[in-house]
Amino acid sequence: MMVVVRGAALLLGLMLVGAGAQEPVEEGLLYEMGSLVDLPLSEGMAHFALGDAHGFVHVYEEREVGRYAEVWVSEYLEGGIGGLVLADADGDGQQELIGYTEQGRIFYLDPQSYKTTWSNPPHEYLRLSAMLVRNIDEDPALELIFCADGRLVIHDGREHFEEWRSTQTDLSSAQIVVADVDGDGAEEIVLNDGYVFDARFHDLEWQSPEPFGDRMGVRDVDEDGILEVIGEFQGRFLRIFDIDLRREKSARR
């Protein structure tokens, strides 16, 4: 069972309400929270993991429909949990629960036993502000793409070494997106503070004079076959950026 009820499931819930069922709980934007992730079913029971601001990962198990109880909590992870993702980062066919803290710790947890299977050395990084787990090269392992101590870092998800780090030392990104945003057939790494890097060769393609928003996503909004970056500012205002033209999209044609 998903933690967040959306789409057809929400419609079904509203139909049941009309038939006299209990009113569904409004769960807001849980699905957008980067430190909350659904885990695989265990003994037929739904689970989710939540990383808190105090440096702990909690696992909750569904006991009744829509009701959960905490069944596990991690040891102290040396800083507020900045994000969690479920992915097979090392290419072994088994998913890991991957997380990071603001104070620079990266860790892999087994999503069934919750044991730590790997973590980086203490004090390797002092501050880590954003992370994305993606495959951006030809090997089967995923890469950890993150901003640490002002640099963009590409980290091998299986062998656990730095493949590359940027020469820029002033990055403070809160979000990273990987997509082909200039229509050249190759993906770019887009940082919300206005930097665009080639995903394969890591060259800096463009540094925007302004950021792309506090949060961002990509979508082709003008039918030109090229994705635009849509940025959200102050939690509500949206702006659209043409990365291929290196400018904000005009409000008028």
Side-chain angles (χ1 to χ4, degrees):
M1 176 178 176
M2 295 292 292
V3 175
V4 178
V5 180
R6 289 179 287 165
L10 178 58
L11 178 60
L12 176 60
L14 293 175
M15 292 171 62
L16 291 174
V17 169
Q22 183 178 359
E23 184 176 354
V25 176
E26 173 57 60
E27 295 187 337
L29 299 177
L30 287 181
Y31 67 93
E32 293 188 3
M33 295 181 182
S35 293
L36 189 153
V37 62
D38 288 303
L39 297 176
L41 293 178
S42 178
E43 300 181 353
M45 304 297 290
H47 292 71
F48 71 88
L50 179 152
D52 69 26
H54 306 292
F56 297 91
V57 174
H58 308 256
V59 174
Y60 295 85
E61 178 183 271
E62 186 178 33
R63 297 297 174 81
E64 300 177 28
V65 175
R67 295 188 177 186
Y68 290 80
E70 183 180 274
V71 294
W72 181 82
V73 60
S74 71
E75 62 184 9
Y76 177 55
L77 292 166
E78 302 175 22
I81 309 300
L84 295 172
V85 63
L86 194 65
D88 179 12
D90 55 13
D92 66 353
Q94 303 294 324
Q95 291 185 315
E96 294 82 38
L97 179 62
I98 303 168
Y100 72 90
T101 75
E102 286 189 318
Q103 280 67 32
R105 293 306 301 272
I106 305 169
F107 54 89
Y108 287 16
L109 302 179
D110 183 294
Q112 298 289 345
S113 68
Y114 316 128
K115 293 181 179 179
T116 301
T117 58
W118 175 81
S119 66
N120 69 326
H123 313 301
E124 181 178 16
Y125 307 108
L126 299 179
R127 180 164 169 22
L128 207 159
S129 62
M131 176 184 287
L132 180 70
V133 181
R134 278 285 304 272
N135 194 337
I136 57 173
D137 57 24
E138 295 180 351
D139 66 33
L142 304 181
E143 281 71 48
L144 311 184
I145 307 165
F146 55 86
C147 285
D149 301 335
R151 299 177 185 267
L152 177 65
V153 177
I154 310 297
H155 196 274
D156 185 274
R158 177 170 56 190
E159 302 299 332
H160 307 305
F161 68 93
E162 278 193 13
E163 296 182 0
W164 175 85
R165 61 165 55 191
S166 69
T167 58
Q168 289 77 18
T169 60
D170 60 345
L171 307 180
S172 58
S173 309
Q175 188 183 4
I176 302 170
V177 169
V178 173
D180 179 7
V181 292
D182 59 9
D184 65 354
E187 291 185 318
E188 285 75 41
I189 300 171
V190 184
L191 310 182
N192 74 299
D193 48 355
Y195 290 81
V196 181
F197 293 85
D198 179 88
R200 182 67 185 277
F201 301 106
H202 316 320
D203 299 322
L204 178 63
E205 294 189 355
W206 183 41
Q207 179 180 347
S208 169
E210 55 187 338
F212 297 137
D214 306 315
R215 301 195 301 174
M216 61 182 177
V218 295
R219 185 159 295 183
D220 180 5
V221 298
D222 56 9
E223 300 181 294
D224 66 351
I226 302 174
L227 296 171
E228 283 76 43
V229 172
I230 303 175
E232 181 184 69
F233 294 78
Q234 301 176 32
R236 48 186 169 171
F237 302 114
L238 301 182
R239 297 167 66 181
I240 303 173
F241 297 88
D242 274 309
I243 304 302
D244 56 318
L245 300 178
R246 301 191 175 185
R247 61 172 174 80
E248 184 176 358
K249 192 169 184 62
S250 173
R252 297 184 179 181
R253 292 183 180 272

